[in-house]
């Protein structure tokens, strides 16, 4: 093996001797590896090692363009970028006395149409909340700023003066110096050959050690920052890393007179960027037909591919259109290197579901420099404290269902689409076209035939809304016509999506009808994509007490809405927990249970995250219980509205009156001759029941419901209606207006916390502290009188001062108003109480325009909660009285 060893090492040994053990080993010396080791050391973990197989930046970091833009259509990303900028432009120079090579030359976003400028105006308003200076410029003002630019075809631009350019080599060297000064060990020329994983007494796999040709380091934590090589590193530990390598290119021009000090440019509509490089430009972009790198080589260091001019020429044409002087300028060099891309163009971070102690920090979609500082800090916090500080769910590997993360078709198709659409306008209601129909529920065919327009969540197809003009099925992916694949013709589903590509109100009439039918009559929602788990075993009650913020140990037959929290009291999930009767198994409707047993129903898009959160807590606390997943074995429909009782009373063999079947209870009963679990719950604020149905019984039960509902004009409704109905009622959506960085107290969900009991639960100590000190931020509902669409990220002003931004917004068709929810803080750092809200004059800023807003401490719709209790005003067909008689 000596010859193999010398081949792998390229002849030279490691730059430092390997320690016998470490608290953490970071693998990969690019932007993410260097930032992570720096932040770990800064947070006090000093016995930490960085291993790089060649030299720092040798993989994909050395050839990066190094652009940093401060504004993105995500509050979390804006915060992550701000931290990177702080580290690069300030902290490192203060700590080391070395310059990182940061140049603050500004950034300019080009808009050649109204939609694009609207998107930039949204970013401008969000920037005001974070104190990021930006200006919308006319074409003439743009020409004054950038005289070499062709502005004839411009609609406008967004100028951000404090954007800039990073130097990869300077940054990584300085990070490495700063980390070493705090006690970290950075070792180059040391490839990793294996990762040892052990299995503990509970059958849990944990990281044990990292193997190299030069020795083994014992460690409980490995951080995979290996870029395009991350998949191979994952395989060493049995961890799936769903990313793919593609060729990503730019060219560097000869000198251009007059280009010095110009801002970097992103011309999204031409899919091209222009980065200032001294007195020249580098030009790159995202094409529809990127080249995949299928045979990822371990010998590839400071290496490049030959540029495919056929692929790249479209970017040159776009760049010449924008800066005509380029036509007369030669090309000095071409840079075509590998870069890793993921299914949704977001990184892969966090602890892998397969192995405890194996963390991911890879898949950065050519934004590893820009996001490195913010993500390195969050990853360090994750490793040391178990969870990140910010809401990192959008980057967490657990956002993907485990059935997809090793599905090569899904990874390739989805990553291609994300790459090709990287510079597309981010519209609120867009859906992917790649790799659809991966997970379909038993109602999929019958709903497709009725015009269902599906959304994709977690691999599932879930109903979005119902189109009245016939079926609009999702077709196989056509790769946007790239690679000589013929495009889908007359693709109705795609045409329907296209009609919603707007920041005005989309065509709303279908959704309005679905909402108002639910409020006045009865609608059926297919919610089968929900996660459906059973928690059983000797310690099930102990686990339920610790895991759930609410007291779920009511009598069997009760159903409780609850949160699950992290140590800091942040909301990791909201779900319903039903306590089951003990008894023999009748799967999938009831598990074997000698003692306590619980049925957990969880929003389907976050089922993997919930599953892993519960498993992690069970492992950490050594609870002896089982969590079993029956998500695919049952469907679920929810029948909601004032007439729901009349419809269901015809097909269920149990009394549905308030006395016999109270709100927040459940029973196993027969529906049209099929066993189902009925639960009296509502996600929309109406009288209604959910039916949890074994797979094979789903369609017959659905058909019986529709037949019984025909005389009441029952209709199908989808998740777009649920979004509107639930915000109108003031119900939270996890990962929108309820996130891991929000506590239930801040989110108006104190009623889900068993604070009056003495029962300890995860996060309780943090909530008690927060309650005693008073809330520094809290959620507020706003309505505006103008008919103006909002989608979240709009700035909230109190007495003219920015105090937060909307997390979620939608139109409420029953109250006939635009509704928004956002967290507000006191600019003085004081407590946010009812007086602070009542005494302020509030406004919302959307795309630079300010609208007066009315704050509400309670939901403006049915604040006394009568409707879910079945109490309707007399002008309704009075279901409540009819049943009482």
């Amino acid at each position: 093996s000596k010859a193999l060893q010398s081949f792998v090492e390229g002849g030279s040994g490691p730059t430092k001797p390997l320690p016998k053990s470490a608290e953490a080993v970071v693998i990969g010396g690019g932007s993410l590896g260097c930032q992570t080791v720096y932040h770990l050391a800064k947070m006090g973990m000093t016995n930490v090692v960085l291993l790089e197989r060649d030299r720092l930046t040798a993989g994909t970091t050395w050839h990066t363009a190094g652009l940093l833009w401060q504004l993105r259509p995500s509050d979390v990303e804006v915060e992550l970028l701000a931290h990177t900028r702080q580290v690069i432009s300030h902290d490192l120079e203060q700590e080391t006395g070395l310059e990182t090579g940061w140049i603050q030359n500004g950034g300019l976003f080009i808009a050649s149409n109204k939609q694009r400028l609207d998107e930039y105006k949204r970013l401008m308003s969000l920037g005001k909340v974070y104190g990021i200076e930006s200006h919308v410029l006319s074409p003439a003002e743009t020409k004054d700023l950038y005289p070499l630019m062709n502005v004839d075809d411009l609609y406008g631009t967004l100028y951000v003066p404090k954007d800039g350019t990073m130097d990869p080599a300077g940054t990584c060297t300085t990070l490495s110096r700063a980390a070493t000064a705090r006690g970290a060990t950075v070792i180059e020329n040391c490839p990793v050959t294996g990762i040892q994983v052990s299995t503990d007494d509970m059958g849990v796999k944990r990281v044990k050690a990292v193997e190299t040709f030069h020795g083994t380091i014992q460690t409980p934590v490995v951080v995979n920052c290996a870029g395009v090589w991350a998949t191979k590193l994952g395989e060493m530990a049995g961890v799936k890393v769903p990313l793919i390598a593609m060729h990503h290119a730019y060219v560097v021009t000869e000198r251009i007179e007059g280009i010095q000090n110009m801002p970097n440019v992103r011309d999204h509509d031409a899919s091209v960027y222009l980065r200032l490089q001294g007195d020249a430009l580098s030009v790159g972009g995202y094409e529809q037909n990127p080249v995949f790198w299928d045979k990822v080589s371990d010998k590839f260091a400071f290496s490049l591919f030959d540029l495919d001019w056929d692929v790249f020429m479209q970017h040159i044409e776009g760049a010449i259109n924008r800066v005509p002087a380029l036509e007369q300028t030669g090309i000095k060099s071409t840079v075509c290197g590998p870069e890793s891309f993921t299914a949704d163009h977001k990184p892969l971070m966090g602890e892998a579901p397969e192995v405890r102690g194996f963390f991911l920090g890879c898949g950065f979609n050519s934004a590893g420099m820009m996001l490195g500082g913010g993500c390195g800090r969050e990853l360090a916090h994750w490793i040391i404290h178990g969870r990140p500080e910010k809401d990192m769910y959008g980057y967490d590997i657990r956002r993907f269902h485990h059935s997809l993360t090793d599905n090569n078709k899904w990874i390739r198709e989805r990553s291609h689409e994300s790459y090709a659409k990287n510079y597309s306008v981010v519209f609120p209601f867009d859906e992917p076209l790649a790799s659809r129909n991966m997970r379909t529920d038993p109602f999929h065919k019958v709903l497709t035939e009725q015009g269902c327009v599906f959304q994709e969540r977690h691999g599932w197809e879930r109903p979005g809304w119902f189109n009245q003009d016939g079926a609009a099925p999702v077709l196989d992916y056509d790769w946007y016509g790239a690679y000589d694949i013929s495009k889908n013709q007359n693709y109705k589903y795609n045409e329907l999506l296209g009609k919603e590509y707007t920041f005005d109100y989309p065509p709303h009439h279908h959704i309005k009808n679905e909402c108002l039918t639910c409020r006045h009559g009865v609608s059926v929602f297919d919610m089968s994509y929900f996660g459906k788990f059973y928690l059983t075993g000797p310690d099930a009650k102990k686990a339920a007490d610790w895991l759930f913020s609410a007291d779920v140990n009511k009598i069997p037959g009760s159903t409780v809405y609850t949160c699950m929290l992290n140590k800091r009291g942040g909301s990791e999930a909201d779900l319903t927990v039903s306590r089951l009767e003990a008894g023999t198994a009748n799967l999938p409707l009831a598990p074997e249970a000698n003692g306590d047993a619980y049925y957990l129903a969880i929003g389907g898009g976050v089922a993997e995250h919930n599953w892993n959160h519960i498993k992690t807590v069970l492992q950490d606390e050594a609870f002896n219980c089982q969590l079993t997943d029956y998500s695919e074995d049952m469907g679920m429909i929810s029948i909601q509205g004032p007439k729901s009782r009349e419809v269901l009373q015809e097909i269920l063999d149990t009394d549905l009156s308030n006395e016999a079947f109270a709100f927040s209870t459940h029973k196993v009963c027969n529906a049209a001759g099929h066993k189902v679990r009925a639960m009296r719950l509502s996600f929309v604020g109406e009288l209604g029941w959910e039916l949890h149905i074994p797979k094979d019984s789903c369609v017959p039960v659905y058909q019986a419901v529709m037949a019984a509902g025909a005389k009441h004009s029952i209709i199908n409704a989808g998740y777009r209606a649920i979004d509107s109905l639930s915000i109108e009622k003031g119900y939270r959506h996890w990962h929108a207006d309820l996130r891991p960085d929000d506590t239930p107290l801040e989110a108006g969900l104190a009623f889900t916390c068993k604070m009056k009991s003495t029962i300890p639960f995860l996060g309780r100590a943090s909530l008690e502290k927060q309650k005693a000190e008073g809330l520094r931020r809290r959620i507020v509902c706003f309505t505006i009188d103008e008919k103006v669409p909002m989608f979240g990220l709009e700035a909230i002003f109190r007495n003219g001062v920015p105090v937060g931004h909307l997390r979620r917004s939608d139109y409420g068709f029953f109250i006939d108003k635009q509704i928004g929810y956002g967290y507000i803080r006191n600019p003085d750092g004081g407590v946010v109480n009812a007086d602070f809200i009542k005494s302020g004059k509030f406004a919302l800023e959307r795309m630079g325009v300010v609208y007066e807003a009315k704050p509400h401490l309670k939901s403006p719709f049915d604040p006394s909660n009568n409707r879910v209790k079945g109490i309707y005003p007399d002008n309704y067909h009075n279901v409540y009285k009819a049943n009482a008689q």
Side-chain angles (χ1 to χ4, degrees):
S1 80
K2 274 272 189 277
L4 173 68
Q5 180 176 338
S6 134
F7 170 73
V8 172
E9 286 162 16
S12 61
T15 51
K16 285 180 192 154
L18 271 65
K20 290 272 175 280
S21 66
E23 289 174 89
V25 176
V26 179
I27 302 170
S31 169
L32 255 293
C34 292
Q35 289 278 13
T36 303
V37 83
Y38 164 74
H39 281 95
L40 282 168
K42 205 167 177 178
M43 285 181 198
M45 185 184 272
T46 51
N47 182 13
V48 56
V49 176
L50 172 68
L51 296 179
E52 161 54 46
R53 68 188 170 90
D54 193 277
R55 296 203 308 281
L56 294 185
T57 76
T60 61
T61 299
W62 73 274
H63 59 71
T64 179
L67 301 166
L68 189 143
W69 318 97
Q70 296 174 89
L71 291 175
R72 299 273 275 214
S74 149
D75 53 354
V76 176
E77 283 189 15
V78 168
E79 291 171 25
L80 294 171
L81 293 164
H83 183 67
T84 300
R85 193 178 172 287
Q86 173 69 19
V87 168
I88 302 295
S89 67
H90 179 267
D91 295 358
L92 284 172
E93 291 190 20
Q94 279 217 321
E95 289 172 37
T96 63
L98 298 169
E99 298 217 341
T100 62
W102 164 252
I103 299 165
Q104 185 179 296
N105 57 315
L108 192 61
F109 287 154
I110 305 292
S112 35
N113 55 61
K114 179 181 183 299
Q115 303 282 32
R116 184 69 76 177
L117 197 64
D118 281 351
E119 181 178 43
Y120 297 159
K121 286 176 178 175
R122 270 169 62 72
L123 297 182
M124 177 183 70
S125 288
L126 177 64
K128 289 184 184 176
V129 179
Y130 289 102
I132 296 168
E133 181 191 349
S134 69
H135 309 275
V136 172
L137 305 181
S138 68
E141 290 167 322
T142 306
K143 185 78 173 172
D144 290 342
L145 175 72
Y146 201 123
L148 289 176
M149 186 172 287
N150 163 33
V151 298
D152 296 348
D153 57 348
L154 287 198
Y155 196 86
T157 58
L158 181 70
Y159 174 50
V160 189
K162 290 179 181 167
D163 285 354
T165 316
M166 295 175 286
D167 169 40
T171 300
C172 289
T173 307
T174 318
L175 285 165
S176 159
R177 290 271 180 92
T180 306
R182 291 175 185 272
T185 309
V186 176
I187 305 174
E188 298 176 277
N189 290 329
C190 189
V192 169
T193 55
I195 292 166
Q196 293 177 14
V197 173
S198 63
T199 306
D200 70 13
D201 301 343
M202 291 176 70
V204 180
K205 291 182 172 166
R206 296 181 187 275
V207 167
K208 188 181 166 197
V210 174
E211 298 170 348
T212 77
F213 281 123
H214 305 282
T216 297
I217 305 173
Q218 302 293 319
T219 183
V221 173
V222 161
V223 193
N224 181 350
C225 297
V228 297
W229 295 270
T231 304
K232 285 193 172 187
L233 191 65
E235 283 165 5
M236 291 180 187
V239 168
K240 300 185 287 193
V241 183
L243 57 79
I244 199 148
M246 294 188 201
H247 293 204
H248 190 57
Y250 61 88
V251 300
V252 183
T253 71
E254 301 283 3
R255 184 172 182 281
I256 303 168
E257 187 60 48
I259 205 77
Q260 292 86 339
N261 305 320
M262 286 297 111
N264 297 321
V265 173
R266 271 178 106 163
D267 188 342
H268 288 99
D269 295 313
S271 217
V272 64
Y273 63 80
L274 309 170
R275 168 198 185 252
L276 185 70
Q277 197 143 333
D279 55 6
L281 287 178
S282 37
V283 177
Y286 292 84
E287 57 280 346
Q288 300 268 345
N289 54 341
V291 181
F292 289 94
W293 188 31
D294 289 321
K295 294 187 169 59
V296 176
S297 156
D298 293 343
K299 294 295 293 173
F300 202 91
F302 294 107
S303 312
L304 293 170
F305 308 115
D306 291 333
L307 183 67
D308 184 332
W309 281 101
D310 290 343
V311 172
F312 195 79
M313 212 48 213
Q314 53 193 302
H315 303 315
I316 296 287
E317 287 159 10
I320 288 171
N321 173 55
R322 194 50 58 228
V323 180
L326 285 172
E327 194 155 19
Q328 314 307 319
T329 307
I331 288 184
K332 189 160 64 182
S333 59
T334 66
V335 178
C336 181
E339 182 54 70
S340 57
F341 292 91
T342 63
D344 56 2
H345 220 75
K346 297 279 181 268
L348 308 175
M349 290 179 65
E351 194 173 25
E354 298 91 348
V355 179
R356 296 296 303 271
F358 190 102
F359 286 81
L360 301 175
C362 50
F364 272 79
N365 306 282
S366 67
M369 282 297 294
M370 176 160 68
L371 290 168
C375 288
R377 179 171 69 171
E378 292 306 310
L379 199 48
H381 201 278
W382 219 320
I383 291 160
I384 293 171
H385 300 289
R387 293 298 285 141
E389 267 189 307
K390 297 190 192 305
D391 164 36
M392 297 300 287
Y393 178 71
Y395 291 10
D396 192 331
I397 183 64
R398 303 184 295 182
R399 71 189 182 274
F400 297 131
H401 190 257
H402 61 85
S403 66
L404 301 175
T405 47
D406 59 354
N407 182 316
N408 201 40
K409 172 181 185 280
W410 175 80
I411 297 166
R412 270 181 100 85
E413 288 192 6
R414 229 6 115 71
S415 302
H416 170 267
E417 183 177 32
S418 302
Y419 184 99
K421 283 179 74 168
N422 184 40
Y423 277 2
S424 301
V425 178
V426 181
F427 288 114
F429 301 113
D430 203 9
E431 292 293 329
L433 297 174
S435 261
R436 292 291 295 269
N437 299 320
M438 301 300 281
R439 304 173 78 197
T440 56
D441 67 43
F443 304 103
H444 183 260
K445 185 170 178 289
V446 63
L447 295 183
T448 302
E449 288 162 0
Q450 295 180 73
C452 183
V453 179
F454 285 94
Q455 301 174 329
E456 186 277 341
R457 296 293 182 274
H458 222 47
W460 282 110
E461 297 291 318
R462 75 171 193 187
W465 54 280
F466 285 81
N467 167 47
Q468 303 309 304
D469 312 322
V474 178
L475 305 180
D476 286 345
Y477 187 46
D478 63 6
W479 300 82
Y480 291 83
Y483 315 117
D484 299 323
I485 292 162
S486 55
K487 283 183 94 159
N488 288 322
Q489 298 302 311
N490 306 321
Y491 191 0
K492 191 166 174 183
Y493 178 81
N494 197 15
E495 287 164 19
L496 290 171
L497 287 185
K499 286 181 181 162
E500 301 208 304
Y501 288 170
T502 175
F503 291 111
D504 294 325
Y505 281 116
H508 253 156
H509 43 280
H510 301 313
I511 294 151
K512 178 179 182 178
N513 180 46
E514 289 173 26
C515 290
L516 292 179
T517 303
C518 178
R519 291 274 183 249
H520 296 293
V522 59
S523 296
V524 180
F525 300 89
D526 169 23
M527 301 172 79
S528 300
Y529 90 126
F530 259 48
K532 309 170 197 78
F533 307 155
Y534 290 118
L535 180 65
T536 56
D539 287 345
K541 181 178 185 302
K542 251 198 258 180
D545 279 342
W546 181 248
L547 272 165
F548 305 123
S549 60
D551 183 2
V552 298
N553 282 302
K554 307 265 178 17
I555 56 163
S558 62
T559 297
V560 176
Y561 172 70
T562 180
C563 293
M564 291 193 287
L565 310 180
N566 54 37
K567 269 196 297 242
R568 294 206 326 277
S571 308
E572 291 290 344
D574 67 333
L575 66 159
T576 60
V577 178
S578 299
R579 189 152 178 231
L580 305 177
E581 301 274 0
T584 52
N586 174 22
L587 290 170
L589 280 179
E592 173 96 31
N594 307 324
D596 299 285
Y598 306 88
Y599 176 46
L600 283 47
I602 287 155
V606 294
E608 185 77 22
H609 169 76
N610 278 254
W611 174 270
N612 283 288
H613 173 76
I614 296 167
K615 291 293 271 191
T616 301
V617 173
L618 297 181
Q619 291 162 14
D620 290 349
E621 300 297 322
F623 288 131
N624 178 13
C625 46
Q626 289 73 49
L627 186 68
T628 47
D629 185 355
Y630 281 87
S631 306
E632 316 256 348
D633 303 275
M634 284 185 279
M636 191 256 273
I637 51 176
S638 184
I639 297 91
Q640 298 286 329
K643 297 181 183 173
S644 58
R645 186 184 268 139
E646 288 177 71
V647 172
L648 288 173
Q649 195 62 83
E650 268 191 49
I651 65 159
L652 294 181
D653 66 349
T654 189
D655 181 357
L656 298 182
S657 66
N658 280 342
E659 298 72 30
F661 207 138
F663 183 69
S664 246
T665 64
H666 64 93
K667 289 176 188 176
V668 172
C669 51
N670 287 301
H674 296 262
K675 277 240 178 309
V676 302
R677 186 177 297 281
M679 289 190 189
R680 186 166 164 197
L681 289 173
S682 183
F683 278 84
V684 296
E686 298 293 336
L687 175 70
W689 280 261
E690 293 175 3
L691 303 182
H692 297 244
I693 314 166
K695 200 163 51 176
D696 296 341
S697 301
C698 280
V699 173
V701 170
Y702 169 79
Q703 286 167 337
V705 168
M706 295 311 271
K711 59 178 169 288
H712 302 288
S713 307
I714 196 167
I715 65 163
N716 292 301
Y719 267 82
R720 289 280 290 282
I722 290 178
D723 289 343
S724 164
L725 293 161
S726 61
I727 201 169
E728 192 167 53
K729 175 61 186 158
Y731 290 156
R732 305 280 162 266
H733 271 193
W734 193 81
H735 201 234
D737 44 11
L738 178 66
R739 304 193 313 201
D741 51 344
D742 306 318
T743 74
L745 306 185
E746 294 165 341
L749 297 177
F751 69 91
T752 66
C753 301
K754 48 187 176 239
M755 305 295 275
K756 292 190 175 111
S757 76
T758 56
I759 305 167
F761 61 89
L762 181 55
R764 176 167 187 149
S766 298
L767 295 190
E768 283 173 343
K769 185 168 180 281
Q770 188 177 51
K771 199 173 176 187
E773 291 172 358
L775 297 179
R776 293 293 188 274
R777 60 196 279 278
R778 64 185 283 179
I779 201 163
V780 178
C781 169
F782 296 97
T783 53
I784 55 169
D785 290 335
E786 286 96 339
K787 292 250 191 317
V788 184
M790 295 189 179
F791 304 106
L793 302 183
E794 291 79 13
I796 304 168
F797 290 84
R798 179 184 180 272
N799 300 346
V801 179
V803 289
H805 61 277
L806 293 187
R807 288 276 194 84
R808 183 177 164 209
S809 183
D810 217 316
Y811 200 78
F813 293 101
F814 188 86
I815 67 167
D816 203 22
K817 276 191 169 51
Q818 187 71 35
I819 305 165
Y821 276 84
Y823 288 79
I824 66 167
R825 57 182 182 272
N826 187 329
D828 308 333
V831 171
V832 178
N833 52 23
D835 283 348
F836 178 81
I837 296 163
K838 285 178 190 160
S839 64
K841 191 169 184 298
F842 286 91
L844 301 175
E845 182 182 311
R846 167 195 183 268
M847 298 182 189
V849 182
V850 176
Y851 301 90
E852 263 184 55
K854 184 180 176 188
H856 303 267
L857 292 168
K858 277 191 149 181
S859 156
F861 170 81
D862 190 25
S864 52
N865 248 353
N866 282 329
R867 299 170 78 103
V868 293
K869 298 172 195 157
I871 304 168
Y872 286 91
D874 289 335
N875 58 347
Y876 270 75
H877 169 61
N878 210 318
V879 184
Y880 177 66
K881 277 186 185 160
N883 264 293
Q885 290 159 8

